């Protein structure tokens, strides 16, 4: 039983039940402004192990710790500095995770054995109340099976994990995962782009007259942000990224020519493979990147639930800037194939 004792689930308010399940070493799905998370208390090893088991998540992928105050964040982040204070003041609660050296209060299971931990204050009343009641941080990855599309509505979580207790709330306002920012003294590095942009981070630090520099010296981020895989966020149908305005028959032909190149596993976790595709559906996003982010995962799911056997997305030259970059990061990882302008050349995603 994943969520605790069913008998006990029948009494008490939603948050009472969630609190009890967490206390007993279970997991609950929590709403946040980015995506729904699958949470366990940082001090319940049993709960943390369930997160990995439920998601089928490999242990090399570290979890983000969710807190309700800077005070609690500092119990997990060892080298809290003035940059952290300014960023927390400016962006918390909100979609920014700070990565820094961890304290002994953070179990190795959360950080995949790394010496650093990611921490953030999410912006959601119910979840903040739950963390407050727990009195400890809640470790939570997105509440989806490993490698698949993240959930932005409670119904998404329920359809994927029928045994998990889900705290219900409105659809997520931001819609894609937090910006993950490593703070190493005065050196900063974005490990995962999100809706808090580099420009916003710079503006906040400049305003406070703090010295910092961007560190992009190491090209390979694989070892630094282990969750940043080539494939991720994948819908249940192949997604084809199209550069240029090829028509549907051309896209369909292309898909079938390269069908064997569609990945059938993500980091060793198998995913469904198709032999032939016939019917494509276009993923169309709003031109405003904030709206596009909000709608991205819901639309991907809708496309994957319909009659079509593949999804395609047309990249537009107007999709520029930090915010689009964060969305295109997700789409690039969700895509199985990429088709480029004019030619039907194949690009390994
Ligand atoms: O918005 C979000 O961040 C959502 C909600 C639930 O808060 N959570 C989320 O968690 O996206 P998840 O597990 O799907 O992604 C967490 C990612 C990891 O894959 C990894 O890339 C990065 O955060 N991360 C976590 N701890 C890290 C660390 N110590 N060093 C580098 N990267 C880390
Ligand atoms: Mg995730």
């Amino acid at each position: 039983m994943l969520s605790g004792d069913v008998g006990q689930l029948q009494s008490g308010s939603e948050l009472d039940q969630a609190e009890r399940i967490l206390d007993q070493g279970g997991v609950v799905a929590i709403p946040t402004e980015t995506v729904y998370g699958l949470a366990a208390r940082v001090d319940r090893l049993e709960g943390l192990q369930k997160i990995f088991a439920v998601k089928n998540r490999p242990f090399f992928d570290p979890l983000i710790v969710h807190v309700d105050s800077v005070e609690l964040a500092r119990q997990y982040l060892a080298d809290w500095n003035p940059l952290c204070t300014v960023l927390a003041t400016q962006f918390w609660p909100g979609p920014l995770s700070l990565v820094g050296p961890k304290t002994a209060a953070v179990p190795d299971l959360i950080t995949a054995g790394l010496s650093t931990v990611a921490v953030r204050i999410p912006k959601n009343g119910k979840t903040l109340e739950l963390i407050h009641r727990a009195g400890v941080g809640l470790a939570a990855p997105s509440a989806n099976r490993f490698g698949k599309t993240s959930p932005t509505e409670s119904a998404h979580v329920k359809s994927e994990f029928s045994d998990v207790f889900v705290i219900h709330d409105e659809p997520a306002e931001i819609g894609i995962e937090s910006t993950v920012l490593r703070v190493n003294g005065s050196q900063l590095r974005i490990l995962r782009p999100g809706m808090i942009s580099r420009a916003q981070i710079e503006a906040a630090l400049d305003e406070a007259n703090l010295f910092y520099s961007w560190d992009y010296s190491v090209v390979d981020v694989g070892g630094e942000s282990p969750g940043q895989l080539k494939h991720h966020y994948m819908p249940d149908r192949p997604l084809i990224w199209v550069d240029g305005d090829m028509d549907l028959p051309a896209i369909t032909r292309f898909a079938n020519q390269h069908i064997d190149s569609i990945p059938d596993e993500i980091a060793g976790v198998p995913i469904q493979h198709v032999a032939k595709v016939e019917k494509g559906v276009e993923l169309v996003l709003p031109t405003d990147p904030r709206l596009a982010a909000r709608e991205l995962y819901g639309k991907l799911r809708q496309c994957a639930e319909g009659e079509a056997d593949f999804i395609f997305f047309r990249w537009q030259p107007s999709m520029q800037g930090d915010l689009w970059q964060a969305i295109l990061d997700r789409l690039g990882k969700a895509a199985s194939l990429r088709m480029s302008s004019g030619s039907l050349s194949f690009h390994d995603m």
Side-chain angles (χ1 to χ4, degrees), residues 32 34-37 57 61-64 66 97 99 114 116-118 120 140-142 177-178 180 191-192 224-228:
T32 87
T34 58
V35 299
Y36 276 70
R57 183 177 174 111
D61 197 359
L63 309 176
I64 295 172
H66 298 71
S97 297
V99 173
L114 297 174
T116 55
V117 65
R120 80 179 189 102
S142 50
E177 300 82 350
S178 60
V180 177
L191 301 176
R192 180 177 68 186
E224 301 217 26
S225 195
Q228 291 297 286

Side-chain angles (χ1 to χ4, degrees), residues 117-195:
V117 65
V119 179
R120 80 179 189 102
I121 304 186
K123 189 175 172 185
N124 180 278
K126 287 185 176 182
T127 290
L128 288 173
E129 168 67 16
L130 186 64
I131 299 168
H132 176 73
R133 289 191 190 190
V136 298
L138 300 182
S142 50
N144 49 276
R145 275 174 292 122
F146 178 70
K148 309 300 291 185
T149 306
S150 307
T152 50
E153 296 179 21
S154 59
H156 296 164
V157 185
K158 285 193 180 124
S159 70
E160 217 159 307
F161 303 126
S162 55
D163 282 350
V164 170
F165 185 81
V166 183
I167 298 175
H168 173 77
D169 211 332
E170 296 301 304
E173 192 187 323
I174 300 286
I176 63 171
E177 300 82 350
S178 60
T179 303
V180 177
L181 179 74
R182 191 188 66 187
V183 182
N184 180 14
S186 62
Q187 293 207 317
L188 305 179
R189 181 174 177 138
I190 290 176
L191 301 176
R192 180 177 68 186
M195 286 292 119

